[in-house]
Every structure is written in C-alpha cells, then in structure tokens.
Amino acid sequence: MEEIIEKPKIFISNKINAALYVLDDGIFSSIRKISKSQRGELELTDALKPYSKNRSIKLVEGKLWLPVGNPAELLEADKKIRDGRNIIGDNTKIKGKVVNSSIGNNCEVEGDVRDSIIMDNTKIKGGSEVSGCIIGEKVEFSGRAYGCFIGDNAVAKEVVAKGVSVWPNKKIKGMIEKDVI
C-alpha cells in the first residue's frame, strides 16, 4: 500500500476500499496515534498509514462488487451469488415450494417462496405466496407478499401486500397498501 484516501473529493482511481481487513493487534497502537476526522470519527484508513510503515499491506482485487446498501440491492446480490440455486439453512423444514431463494436456519416454509430471502427462525404458513421479498428473522407470515420488506419479529396474518416495507416488531393483517413504520 502506498496511500489510501478516505472519501476523496476528486477522482483519483477506479479502485474502492471495500473495508475488509485482516490485521494484527498492532493496528490498535496506530489507532491511538490518530485524531478524529472532520466527521468526528476515528478513521481506520488514517490508522493504516502509520500501521503500514513497518508492515507490508497488500491490496486484493475482488472479481465481483455487489453493493448492498438497500434491500433491493441485497436481493440482487443474493440472486447473483446463488446463481439460480436455492440455499436452505440448517434445521429448516420445507413443505411448500421454494424457487430461486435463500432460506435461513430453523425456518418452516409451508407456502410458496420465489426470488426471496427468508431470515432465520421465520414461519411461512401454508397457502402463502412470497415473491421478491426479504422477510426478517422470527417473522410469522401468512398471506401474499410481492416485492416487500418485512422486518424482524413482525407478525403478518392474512396479508396482501405489494411493494411495501414493514418495520420490525409490527403486527399487520389484511390489505397493506403503504409502509408500516
């Protein structure tokens, strides 16, 4: 590593720092030597400069960059990684149909799930349809959801929803036409 610049104001390279590091405990003494940035934070990239004085730091170029800054990007990244296959977690029971989806650990899927991500410990009841959705952990879901994002610990009964977001810990029922915050 010759230099690393956090959020440059002018274009300097087509490379990005994806913030995946493997460092020894020497980084902590380098962190103690830096000051907070204009944003009021200790920037790891600032600590890498003194850290690299006594060590060789190497760049590893990735072959694939998948941004996951929002739920739609997470669905797209999951789809690319799975390459048309299902990923089914440990201790998950599938009685329904799962197509092109990732299902977490300890889930029960009795309905149909397509092009979706279902997180750990979630139950999709029989007769349900889920398509193009991300459903969080510990959700109980029955109904039909298309292009929705349902947060952790939600309870969704007999829901019909398209393109809405439901925040964690919400209880919903019936037709959902707008985000539940």
Side-chain angles (χ1 to χ4, degrees):
M1 180 184 89
E2 293 176 23
E3 186 174 15
I4 186 166
I5 300 171
E6 181 78 16
K7 297 176 181 58
K9 296 199 182 338
I10 59 169
F11 179 81
I12 57 171
S13 172
N14 64 351
K15 306 272 189 245
I16 65 154
N17 174 15
L20 178 62
Y21 304 101
V22 178
L23 306 167
D24 62 29
D25 60 0
I27 190 64
F28 296 108
S29 63
S30 295
I31 290 172
R32 286 184 205 97
K33 295 176 186 173
I34 64 172
S35 300
K36 288 186 178 181
S37 70
Q38 289 180 340
R39 299 182 312 157
E41 298 177 6
L42 292 173
E43 304 284 355
L44 184 57
T45 52
D46 292 340
L48 287 174
K49 293 170 190 172
Y51 178 81
S52 67
K53 297 275 188 235
N54 302 324
R55 294 167 181 80
S56 175
I57 296 181
K58 297 183 172 102
L59 165 73
V60 177
E61 289 193 56
K63 293 183 169 84
L64 179 63
W65 171 251
L66 300 171
V68 290
N70 62 54
E73 290 177 342
L74 179 59
L75 272 173
E76 187 61 30
D78 180 68
K79 181 180 176 181
K80 286 181 181 178
I81 290 168
R82 283 184 297 91
D83 193 28
R85 300 166 302 181
N86 290 323
I87 296 177
I88 309 296
D90 295 335
N91 301 313
T92 288
K93 298 177 181 129
I94 308 289
K95 294 181 183 174
K97 186 175 181 181
V98 175
V99 177
N100 197 30
S101 296
S102 292
I103 312 292
N105 297 324
N106 304 308
C107 293
E108 294 177 20
V109 178
E110 297 172 352
D112 293 342
V113 175
R114 175 179 298 279
D115 302 318
S116 296
I117 299 171
I118 309 297
M119 305 287 185
D120 294 347
N121 302 300
T122 289
K123 296 179 183 178
I124 308 296
K125 301 288 186 181
S128 296
E129 293 178 30
V130 174
S131 181
C133 296
I134 297 176
I135 298 185
E137 293 185 353
K138 299 179 184 174
V139 172
E140 292 186 31
F141 181 87
S142 69
R144 295 183 309 239
Y146 309 100
C148 296
F149 308 112
I150 299 176
D152 296 346
N153 302 303
V155 176
K157 293 186 178 182
E158 302 166 15
V159 166
V160 177
K162 183 176 182 182
V164 299
S165 295
V166 177
W167 283 35
N169 305 307
K170 299 295 181 183
K171 292 183 180 182
I172 57 174
K173 185 173 182 176
M175 180 71 72
I176 308 299
E177 297 180 26
K178 61 181 182 175
D179 293 349
V180 178
I181 299 174

